[in-house]
Amino acid sequence: MSEVVTGDAVVVEVRVAQPPIRAVALMIDMLVQVVLMVGVFLAVGYSSVISDPALAAAVSILISVLVIAGYPVIFETATRGRSLGKLALGLRVVSDDGGPERFRQALFRGLAGVLEFWTFFGAPALIASLISQRGKRLGDVFAGTIVISERGPSGMSQPVMMPPALEGWARTLELSQLPAEVAGAARQYLMRWHDLSPAVQHEMGVRIATQVAAYVTPPPPPGVPAHAYLSAVLAERRRRDQARYPQAGPGHGVRPQAGPQPPPAPYGRPYAQPHAPQAAPPQPSPPQPAPPASAPRTTPGGFAPPQ
């Protein structure tokens, strides 16, 4: 695992692709390129339109350059960081800040790949990836990119739980405009929520929740904590994805609960801690006078501050 810092100063953990997996993806891409070049050469050779040998040679060289350098540039730009080999192995090229790969970066990687793989048979790329802590080849160093693996081992992260108090409101959300990068930053924040100090929990939560609220409507009810708002949005997003792409059965992926469970808190917690020791039941205390009613305090973003 490696950490990248986004443009909004949010730390996101990514899984850097290992050199053996990248080598297999490269072999798949190079095989596709060789098949394309052989097909084009045969078509040009048997074509009766180009009769001049010099013109045929020029066309062959032009097509070779387009296939070798244009194939990764076109595919990675159109698919946001994926070629056929990377798509087969679950890899993706992203910027150093975790954002999607841009055309300029794909062009740098494609031109550097001509020298690294087709001229020097991959030796510069192998040496650079072994030296770099993130496994970067020369094309990644010049373009400011990193290759990550999107297929992590199953069961590593717990699902986001829906706060019971926000379940009805979450079903009315419009989530079609929520970018995957913003949702990924929110998920990483919730996964690390228990490891952060209360001040960092609130500050980072409000910042990410404000970004999510710019793409999600309607706004949350007054006084909702930032982590509860993000949990509700991600849990509803996952529920709709599962409804759109049903799994292998109605109970697939549901873990049975052992014994009766205590009633949940109004907004719950982002992630449960299954190994935490159970606290003793609270002792009854004499009734205290109720404080005077007042409006809940909120931050400028509309989310409740930590209590």
Side-chain angles (χ1 to χ4, degrees), residues 41-302:
F41 288 157
L42 292 178
V44 173
Y46 288 101
S47 176
S48 60
V49 178
I50 303 177
S51 57
D52 187 2
L55 181 59
V59 171
S60 300
I61 294 175
L62 177 61
I63 293 177
S64 300
V65 173
L66 291 177
V67 171
I68 294 175
Y71 165 85
V73 175
I74 294 174
F75 265 91
E76 291 183 5
T77 303
T79 61
R80 301 174 69 86
R82 285 179 169 182
S83 60
L84 293 181
K86 293 180 178 64
L87 182 62
L89 296 180
L91 306 181
R92 183 186 292 273
V93 182
V94 297
S95 302
D96 284 337
D97 60 355
E101 183 187 21
R102 294 179 287 273
F103 171 75
R104 174 182 57 82
Q105 295 171 320
L107 182 61
F108 273 109
R109 297 185 79 257
L111 295 178
V114 175
L115 297 177
E116 290 182 278
F117 303 121
W118 295 95
T119 304
F120 297 102
F121 305 100
L126 178 61
I127 296 174
S129 62
L130 293 178
I131 295 176
S132 174
Q133 295 182 351
R134 294 187 173 184
K136 287 189 173 187
R137 64 177 179 89
L138 295 181
D140 294 320
V141 175
F142 297 149
T145 56
I146 183 176
V147 181
I148 64 173
S149 176
E150 296 183 320
R151 296 179 183 177
S154 59
M156 291 295 293
S157 61
Q158 302 175 7
V160 181
M161 306 305 297
M162 170 67 72
L166 299 178
E167 186 173 2
W169 165 80
R171 293 183 179 273
T172 65
L173 292 177
E174 172 57 40
L175 303 175
S176 59
Q177 302 298 324
L178 180 62
E181 293 80 8
V182 178
R187 179 175 295 275
Q188 292 293 335
Y189 162 73
L190 293 179
M191 291 177 61
R192 302 180 58 191
W193 190 84
H194 295 282
D195 300 329
L196 304 175
S197 63
V200 177
Q201 286 177 359
H202 174 65
E203 180 182 357
M204 185 178 295
V206 170
R207 183 168 64 247
I208 299 178
T210 303
Q211 296 176 6
V212 174
Y215 301 97
V216 176
T217 55
V224 175
H227 72 82
Y229 170 73
L230 296 175
S231 299
V233 172
L234 295 185
E236 179 63 19
R237 187 170 182 260
R238 182 193 62 191
R239 185 192 69 82
R240 296 182 185 181
D241 290 341
Q242 291 178 349
R244 189 179 300 110
Y245 306 104
Q247 302 293 333
H252 180 76
V254 179
R255 298 181 180 179
Q257 298 181 355
Q261 301 295 325
Y267 294 114
R269 297 173 68 86
Y271 281 80
Q273 294 181 341
H275 301 290
Q278 296 183 357
Q283 300 295 330
S285 57
Q288 300 293 334
S294 60
R297 297 184 297 112
T298 58
T299 62

Side-chain angles (χ1 to χ4, degrees), residues 6-31:
T6 66
D8 299 314
V10 178
V11 180
V12 181
E13 292 185 355
V14 295
R15 187 180 302 276
V16 178
Q18 299 300 318
I21 302 180
R22 296 184 61 179
V24 176
L26 174 64
M27 293 175 61
I28 295 176
D29 290 330
M30 294 184 70
L31 179 61

